[in-house]
């Protein structure tokens, strides 16, 4: 089974987090979405956590939050953070 619909160059950029042991959304969907986003030059990052299921943010939120903040800041502000 494959994802439906491509990611287009004018789509919003994506930062993806996926648990390698996710049984609700299979890992190949996350990898495929990352591949489609990269092909459209819309991929900001893909992080796959081994040993984690569908609860990535509950289990790794503190670890992934700095990357999310840096990525959002780079996309929304585009410059150095305010002092």
């Amino acid at each position: 089974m494959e994802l439906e619909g491509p990611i287009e160059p004018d789509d919003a950029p994506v930062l993806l987090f996926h648990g390698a042991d996710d049984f609700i959304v299979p890992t190949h969907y996350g990898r495929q979405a990352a591949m489609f986003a990269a092909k459209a030059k819309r991929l900001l990052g893909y992080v796959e956590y081994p040993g984690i299921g569908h609860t990535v943010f509950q289990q790794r939120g503190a670890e992934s939050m700095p990357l999310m903040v840096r990525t959002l800041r780079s996309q929304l502000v585009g410059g150095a953070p305010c002092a």
Side-chain angles (χ1 to χ4, degrees):
M1 187 177 237
E2 291 194 19
L3 292 175
E4 292 184 26
I7 296 173
E8 302 293 337
D10 61 344
D11 285 343
V14 295
L15 173 62
L16 301 167
F17 296 88
H18 204 101
D21 295 338
D22 191 337
F23 64 90
I24 295 172
V25 178
T27 306
H28 71 271
Y29 283 139
R31 292 175 182 164
Q32 192 175 48
M35 180 190 67
F36 288 153
K39 186 175 178 180
K41 299 186 181 345
R42 304 314 297 152
L43 183 65
L44 299 175
Y46 175 77
V47 181
E48 189 172 293
Y49 292 99
I52 301 292
H54 196 68
T55 58
V56 169
F57 295 110
Q58 288 87 346
Q59 295 184 39
R60 298 296 171 102
E63 181 181 322
S64 55
M65 187 61 68
L67 175 58
M68 285 187 273
V69 169
R70 281 192 310 272
T71 302
L72 281 170
R73 181 178 286 141
S74 74
Q75 293 298 303
L76 298 174
V77 177
C82 299

